[in-house]
Amino acid sequence: MGTFSAEVGVNNGNGGPTQHVEAVADTGTGFSIFPDAFLRERVGIRPKRYDTFVFADGREREMPVGEARFIIGDRDAVSPVVFGTGDYFLLGAVTLQALSLIADTTNHKLIPARKFARPL
């Protein structure tokens, strides 16, 4: 699977300013992960809880989690966001699902997800 970046707007959902950044679409990551200082200082988001995350190398770490409004194109949705320790912006699978978007890794873009309903 390839990775690619997409422009995303992020705000606190309470009338705060929207910040636009380039984020890497990473469907292997559950929650989106954005830098702690960006979320707190530029977007005005505060943690709502702390969750334990297991990293690929087996390490476990408790990290703060809040909620952000994500905007991509004409779509927006509220989704959990982890307050990360690095300088990277990762769009995780939960956020992409909330936006009804999927990663088209062949063409390096996010596209609308087809919705399937069970016949009645």
Side-chain angles (χ1 to χ4, degrees):
M1 178 183 116
T3 59
F4 58 91
S5 62
E7 183 178 325
V8 58
V10 183
N11 66 49
N12 64 16
N14 294 320
T18 298
Q19 301 292 324
H20 294 273
V21 297
E22 287 288 320
V24 174
D26 185 358
T27 58
T29 298
F31 289 169
S32 292
I33 305 171
F34 280 36
D36 186 291
F38 172 82
L39 293 172
R40 291 177 195 261
E41 297 166 17
R42 291 188 49 201
V43 185
I45 296 173
R46 297 290 175 249
K48 290 189 167 228
R49 67 178 188 271
Y50 286 79
D51 285 345
T52 301
F53 294 88
V54 179
F55 293 86
D57 63 4
R59 289 179 300 128
E60 292 185 14
R61 183 173 185 179
E62 189 174 76
M63 299 178 75
V65 179
E67 289 182 348
R69 178 167 298 281
F70 291 89
I71 304 152
I72 297 178
D74 64 349
R75 296 168 185 260
D76 70 282
V78 173
S79 178
V81 62
V82 176
F83 290 67
T85 57
D87 292 335
Y88 45 84
F89 296 80
L90 297 178
L91 278 175
V94 172
T95 301
L96 294 176
Q97 288 173 348
L99 292 164
S100 294
L101 294 170
I102 59 171
D104 176 351
T105 56
T106 301
N107 296 304
H108 302 286
K109 62 182 181 177
L110 297 172
I111 60 173
R114 294 182 65 184
K115 295 166 186 64
F116 298 95
R118 186 173 151 197
L120 299 176

